[in-house]
Amino acid sequence: MKLNQVLEGLSYEIIKGDVDIEISQLIYDSRKTEKNSIFVCLKGANFDGHSYIREVVAAGAKAVVVCEDVDTTDLDATFIKVLDTRYALAILSANYFENPAKELVTIGITGTKGKTTTTYMVREILESCDIKTGLIGTIETIIGDEHIKAANTTPESYIIQKTFREMVEKGCKAVVMEVSSQGLMMHRCAGIMYDIGVFTNLEPDHIGPNEHSSFEEYTECKAKLFKQCKVGIVNSDDKHFEDIIKEHTCTIEKYGFNDTADYVAKNIELINDKSYIGISFKTDGLLKEDVVLGTPGRFSVYNALCAIAVTRHFDIPFDKVKNALKTVKVKGRVEIVDTPYPFILMIDYAHNAMSLENILTTLKEHKPKRLVCMFGCGGNRAKSRRYEMGEVSGKYADFTVITSDNPRFEKPEDIIADIVTGIEKTSGKYIKITDRREAIKYVIQNGKEGDVIVLAGKGHEDYQEIEGKKYPMDERVIIAEILEELK
């Protein structure tokens, strides 16, 4: 491919050399430099690609993209200067992979909570209607039958475009992806005009060093999605809804519980059974249907409304949408695990006070005989989280089992002691079991008819991190082993 083709649509200045040259590869990691490649100098908190210019040219790079002044006197390569190399990488990547997003129906979902569940709901519905759909998110990337563990919620722009191309080659017609505020701030999604952009909700999060400097900046980053999509589907019940769409350039569709929304949920009813809890509701507005969900809580209704609004842009029979919503499961998100016992056992990723309170208050609405919460906290993280989660569980759960999570370089017993400090501010009953496997066995052996037991914190994770090493620990596998033992 010619360099000038890769640069198409990007504002740039030629510092040295010629853009009418052949390029073999697009590189942003100096260690992967090869002959006739183009190297993009990214800048991060702990690295600067500009430091490796001489090294990559010596290794055969034919062109270098920079965003600051550099000495090119004795370097035999073309030098291109841009305002922002991260933005440039996104545009270059889209061109390099021949703009695969234009061959897919692209759906981008942003928000503080609900992104993961909603992406899976949308994919489940589309797949059930024979629309092959790729997924990029917090848990994994799915390309056809291939499941790849995720390193970031929203990968680097080069990886996104490479993945899109692979999806096209494997017959995907659509892709649904989580779009994080970090991804938007760092231009990882630049160069993509989403067919549908989605906003779930907004709460203070990801604010601090190496993230967002303020809630205002966090909000502004989320809002960027609605300047690069054709249709915006937004939760109009969220108090920050107006800030998110303030400068939108797309057509807006609203969902929520209020009558001004285009997709409205009404007559919400809880479903309770010995081994099943869910929720049902009626839709109003642009669609009038009865819907049953296999997951509990008002947040599940919001996620389902959103998925309904998205999939209405496809030619899909609504009966298939309803069937998919009733059975869809998301790994580690209110994930009910089948057991032969008359209680409900579930796994959830709730790993901070806000998410733990959300899941416990949701489950409390179903009026279980007892609400049992098993959780721990990660080591080498803010101690305040431990006190807060202990207090939340003590307040809302009838019984708490305090155990280990990812202790990292701390002693599990020290972390548990901090959690106890929080729970003892309440009248909540608790027990301490340091070994997580033993804690899971305890809650299963001591579960009573009508209980709802939630294993919180690990969610989709299949490891436990101890002193810098990750050991296999998948709660689904552990539960299966324990059930076999208890036969």
Side-chain angles (χ1 to χ4, degrees):
M1 182 178 282
K2 293 277 191 181
L3 176 56
N4 52 15
Q5 291 176 295
V6 181
L7 293 166
E8 193 172 327
L10 180 69
S11 295
Y12 62 89
E13 178 186 357
I14 304 171
I15 302 299
K16 181 179 182 179
D18 185 4
V19 294
D20 189 26
I21 57 174
E22 286 289 335
I23 294 298
S24 62
Q25 183 61 275
L26 175 61
I27 303 291
Y28 58 96
D29 181 341
S30 61
R31 295 166 296 184
K32 296 179 180 179
T33 306
E34 59 183 55
K35 190 176 179 182
N36 296 328
S37 57
I38 174 173
F39 177 71
V40 183
C41 299
L42 299 186
K43 298 178 76 170
N46 303 308
F47 67 91
D48 185 351
H50 294 82
S51 304
Y52 301 97
I53 289 175
R54 290 188 174 277
E55 181 182 313
V56 298
V57 172
K62 203 70 176 174
V64 180
V65 179
V66 301
C67 61
E68 58 183 45
D69 293 333
V70 294
D71 181 9
T72 66
T73 306
D74 57 344
L75 296 175
D76 184 20
T78 294
F79 280 81
I80 304 295
K81 188 175 183 182
V82 297
L83 189 63
D84 187 317
T85 48
R86 285 198 176 273
Y87 178 81
L89 179 63
I91 304 303
L92 296 173
S93 298
N95 290 332
Y96 180 76
F97 288 104
E98 299 181 327
N99 295 290
K102 293 180 180 178
E103 300 174 57
L104 296 162
V105 178
T106 49
I107 305 156
I109 300 177
T110 198
T112 304
K113 295 183 298 186
K115 296 190 297 297
T116 300
T117 302
T118 307
T119 56
Y120 277 88
M121 277 187 170
V122 170
R123 182 179 182 272
E124 187 84 6
I125 293 168
L126 296 179
E127 286 275 328
S128 70
C129 298
D130 299 321
I131 300 171
K132 196 170 183 178
T133 304
L135 181 146
I136 300 174
T138 300
I139 299 174
E140 61 187 344
T141 290
I142 304 175
I143 310 172
D145 297 326
E146 187 180 6
H147 294 248
I148 306 155
K149 283 187 180 180
N152 301 97
T153 296
T154 306
E156 189 57 80
S157 56
Y158 177 92
I159 302 298
I160 292 175
Q161 297 294 342
K162 181 175 182 287
T163 302
F164 281 2
R165 177 48 62 196
E166 290 172 1
M167 288 176 178
V168 171
E169 289 172 355
K170 291 193 176 179
C172 289
K173 302 301 179 187
V175 57
V176 56
M177 65 178 287
E178 296 182 50
V179 181
S180 67
S181 55
Q182 283 281 307
L184 288 161
M185 181 175 72
M186 299 177 78
H187 304 300
R188 291 174 184 165
C189 305
I192 304 170
M193 174 53 72
Y194 290 95
D195 292 289
I196 300 171
V198 171
F199 166 68
T200 59
N201 51 61
L202 192 67
E203 293 180 14
D205 201 4
H206 302 292
I207 297 164
N210 299 325
E211 291 193 279
H212 298 287
S213 61
S214 65
F215 182 68
E216 288 71 26
E217 182 188 279
Y218 179 54
T219 305
E220 286 170 9
C221 287
K222 293 287 189 191
K224 287 181 179 180
L225 180 60
F226 302 96
K227 297 177 187 177
Q228 61 179 93
C229 67
K230 297 171 187 175
V231 176
I233 295 174
V234 296
N235 176 0
S236 58
D237 287 353
D238 190 88
K239 61 184 179 182
H240 302 289
F241 149 69
E242 294 290 353
D243 293 326
I244 289 293
I245 65 165
K246 185 166 56 179
E247 297 179 4
H248 74 275
T249 57
C250 57
T251 302
I252 293 292
E253 293 180 4
K254 299 178 288 184
Y255 68 93
F257 295 174
N258 66 86
D259 287 332
T260 64
D262 300 296
Y263 297 90
V264 185
K266 292 188 171 182
N267 302 336
I268 298 169
E269 294 182 5
L270 304 178
I271 300 170
N272 291 301
D273 198 354
K274 287 182 179 179
S275 58
Y276 178 87
I277 53 176
I279 200 160
S280 67
F281 64 95
K282 294 182 182 293
T283 62
D284 202 355
L286 295 179
L287 183 71
K288 300 181 189 299
E289 291 281 354
D290 295 321
V291 179
V292 176
L293 304 177
T295 50
R298 289 167 66 91
F299 59 84
S300 292
V301 178
Y302 278 116
N303 294 340
L305 270 181
C306 179
I308 288 167
V310 169
T311 54
R312 286 271 287 169
H313 288 270
F314 296 79
D315 186 18
I316 297 174
F318 195 73
D319 282 348
K320 290 195 173 185
V321 174
K322 284 168 59 168
N323 290 338
L325 289 173
K326 194 172 182 179
T327 58
V328 67
K329 273 189 176 183
V330 181
K331 190 176 183 181
R333 286 352 189 239
V334 201
E335 179 188 354
I336 297 176
V337 183
D338 292 331
T339 76
Y341 303 116
F343 55 73
I344 293 166
L345 179 65
M346 66 172 61
I347 297 170
D348 192 79
Y349 188 50
H351 59 290
N352 57 38
M354 181 175 67
S355 56
L356 188 64
E357 181 173 346
N358 192 33
I359 186 65
L360 293 181
T361 53
T362 292
L363 297 174
K364 202 81 171 171
E365 289 177 355
H366 286 263
K367 295 182 169 53
K369 183 174 181 180
R370 289 189 312 164
L371 178 55
V372 179
C373 177
M374 188 206 84
F375 80 98
C377 288
N380 303 107
R381 298 292 186 269
K383 282 194 173 188
S384 58
R385 177 177 290 189
R386 305 167 192 178
Y387 308 140
E388 292 164 359
M389 289 184 73
E391 192 169 352
V392 165
S393 192
K395 182 177 179 181
Y396 295 106
D398 297 298
F399 187 71
T400 300
V401 179
I402 306 172
T403 188
S404 186
D405 193 288
N406 292 320
R408 298 186 176 90
F409 291 96
E410 286 193 70
K411 290 181 179 179
E413 294 79 8
D414 292 342
I415 299 170
I416 289 171
D418 288 333
I419 296 171
V420 168
T421 300
I423 203 168
E424 288 192 339
K425 291 182 180 179
T426 74
S427 58
K429 298 176 182 178
Y430 68 92
I431 189 173
K432 299 178 290 181
I433 303 176
T434 303
D435 185 281
R436 195 172 183 98
R437 190 185 192 282
E438 288 304 310
I440 295 171
K441 187 173 184 178
Y442 175 87
V443 298
I444 291 174
Q445 284 184 306
N446 292 276
K448 300 176 181 178
E449 184 173 344
D451 283 355
V452 172
I453 303 167
V454 57
L455 313 183
K458 297 297 288 177
H460 60 276
E461 293 179 354
D462 58 3
Y463 63 86
Q464 188 172 43
E465 188 178 342
I466 303 170
E467 294 184 354
K469 187 174 179 181
K470 290 184 178 180
Y471 296 88
M473 176 177 276
D474 187 323
E475 291 185 328
R476 294 147 207 82
V477 174
I478 291 171
I479 292 166
E481 291 172 350
I482 291 169
L483 292 178
E484 187 65 28
E485 289 173 19
L486 296 178
K487 277 184 178 180

